[in-house]
Amino acid sequence: MQRSFSMKSELEHLAIIMDGNGRWAKSRGLQRTKGHEKGAEVIRDITEYCSNHPTLQTLTLYAFSTENWKRPKLEVDFLMRLLDKYLANELETYCKCNVRFETIGDINHLSSSLQKRIETTKEATKNHNKLTQILALNYGSRDEITRAVNKVLDQNLVVTEENINKMLDTPYSDVDLIIRTSGEQRLSNFLLWQSSYSEFYFTSTLWPDFTPIELDDIIAKFYDRDRTFGGL
Ligand code: FPP
């Protein structure tokens, strides 16, 4: 969709910072990895809910940030394996729910087998049109904007908002609503450009406990907000 700043109050693009997997596991005396496993299951339920929503077109999920490489190698390796397993298992959900799979972030740094899995999943779902699920993988907003500006310069274009917008990983994709779970209230380098006029919602629910029912409630609150986009 070609638009630089959405002036609509409809919910078309929802983005979620899925936080709290580790705390969820710790509170149950489990390894952090169990929290990530449960978190992956929640993604399925939320994606299914979003695919049935009348106006939602895009669901962007923060799955692995450029900063997450700082975590212990064992946890990083686990997350990468989980992602591979998730994509293999979820092809069925993408087909059942007519969901197209996409990514943002620099996936060149992921293992070649994972890159292959990502590419085959994109290819297998490219004609699905109910919802686009975008996983942010090795994603950082500053990195995305820097790469976009470099693309503008490489093509000898003038650095304008319009041209930067075109070169982002998700061109023209302003976000209407950003949710962060687990009680933290920050963006953590997520969609800094695209969130200029987003509504924000912070819930103390840990991601593995997040449900479509809570999402439905948050969406109802979104519609109560008055969005003026800087106007009156
Ligand atoms: C934050 O929890 C979660 C992440 C590192 C990103 C989200 C990851 C998942 C939902 C796992 C599965 C994802 C896919 C795509 C298969 P945290 O570890 O920071 O939790 P904490 O703040 O409680 O420690």
Side-chain angles (χ1 to χ4, degrees), residues 194-226:
Q194 298 88 339
S195 64
S196 297
Y197 283 95
S198 302
E199 297 296 319
F200 290 86
Y201 193 92
F202 300 101
T203 169
S204 56
T205 304
L206 303 174
W207 176 250
D209 288 328
F210 194 68
T211 60
I213 294 172
E214 182 168 5
L215 176 55
D216 203 51
D217 191 46
I218 294 171
I219 290 176
K221 292 188 173 92
F222 165 85
Y223 281 115
D224 281 342
R225 301 234 182 129
D226 190 16

Side-chain angles (χ1 to χ4, degrees), residues 97-111:
C97 301
N98 199 5
V99 173
R100 183 161 75 97
F101 168 72
E102 269 299 332
T103 61
I104 53 174
D106 189 355
I107 58 168
N108 293 318
H109 292 271
L110 307 180
S111 72

Side-chain angles (χ1 to χ4, degrees), residues 103-153:
T103 61
I104 53 174
D106 189 355
I107 58 168
N108 293 318
H109 292 271
L110 307 180
S111 72
S112 54
S113 61
L114 187 50
Q115 287 184 47
K116 194 153 188 278
R117 171 80 69 198
I118 289 168
E119 289 314 324
T120 51
T121 311
K122 284 182 184 173
E123 183 59 28
T125 63
K126 70 177 181 200
N127 294 321
H128 296 173
N129 57 15
K130 189 68 194 71
L131 177 83
T132 301
Q133 183 212 61
I134 301 175
L135 287 190
L137 298 172
N138 188 27
Y139 176 84
S141 211
R142 290 178 177 179
D143 175 63
E144 180 191 30
I145 295 166
T146 307
R147 284 187 285 108
V149 173
N150 276 314
K151 283 184 213 161
V152 171
L153 296 174

Side-chain angles (χ1 to χ4, degrees), residues 25-208:
K26 198 174 166 207
S27 71
R28 286 166 174 72
L30 302 169
Q31 303 269 8
R32 293 175 56 80
T33 49
K34 291 287 169 205
H36 295 316
E37 275 173 356
K38 181 70 172 60
E41 287 172 27
V42 173
I43 294 179
R44 180 190 309 130
D45 297 343
I46 295 301
T47 301
E48 199 160 338
Y49 168 93
C50 290
S51 72
N52 287 317
H53 188 277
T55 61
L56 263 176
Q57 295 172 2
T58 310
L59 169 67
T60 301
L61 300 168
Y62 208 3
F64 195 86
S65 75
T66 44
E67 287 73 33
N68 285 153
W69 296 106
K70 291 183 213 153
R71 294 187 176 209
K73 187 175 181 308
L74 273 179
E75 182 165 337
V76 170
D77 289 348
F78 180 86
L79 281 167
M80 295 300 154
R81 279 199 307 278
L82 183 61
L83 177 60
D84 191 59
K85 206 163 91 184
Y86 168 83
L87 290 177
N89 289 341
E90 291 317 300
L91 192 52
E92 201 184 320
T93 311
Y94 293 136
C95 293
K96 188 181 85 178
C97 301
N98 199 5
V99 173
R100 183 161 75 97
F101 168 72
E102 269 299 332
T103 61
I104 53 174
D106 189 355
I107 58 168
N108 293 318
H109 292 271
L110 307 180
S111 72
S112 54
S113 61
L114 187 50
Q115 287 184 47
K116 194 153 188 278
R117 171 80 69 198
I118 289 168
E119 289 314 324
T120 51
T121 311
K122 284 182 184 173
E123 183 59 28
T125 63
K126 70 177 181 200
N127 294 321
H128 296 173
N129 57 15
K130 189 68 194 71
L131 177 83
T132 301
Q133 183 212 61
I134 301 175
L135 287 190
L137 298 172
N138 188 27
Y139 176 84
S141 211
R142 290 178 177 179
D143 175 63
E144 180 191 30
I145 295 166
T146 307
R147 284 187 285 108
V149 173
N150 276 314
K151 283 184 213 161
V152 171
L153 296 174
D154 286 349
Q155 296 184 24
N156 289 320
L157 297 169
V158 181
V159 178
T160 59
E161 279 191 26
E162 181 73 7
N163 284 336
I164 294 174
N165 230 330
K166 261 190 235 167
M167 304 298 174
L168 293 171
D169 293 351
T170 49
Y172 300 105
S173 198
D174 280 4
V175 180
D176 298 302
L177 173 64
I178 297 190
I179 298 171
R180 183 171 188 145
T181 59
S182 94
E184 306 300 335
Q185 301 195 7
R186 56 180 174 268
L187 266 179
S188 302
N189 204 10
F190 186 50
L191 302 176
L192 301 180
W193 181 282
Q194 298 88 339
S195 64
S196 297
Y197 283 95
S198 302
E199 297 296 319
F200 290 86
Y201 193 92
F202 300 101
T203 169
S204 56
T205 304
L206 303 174
W207 176 250

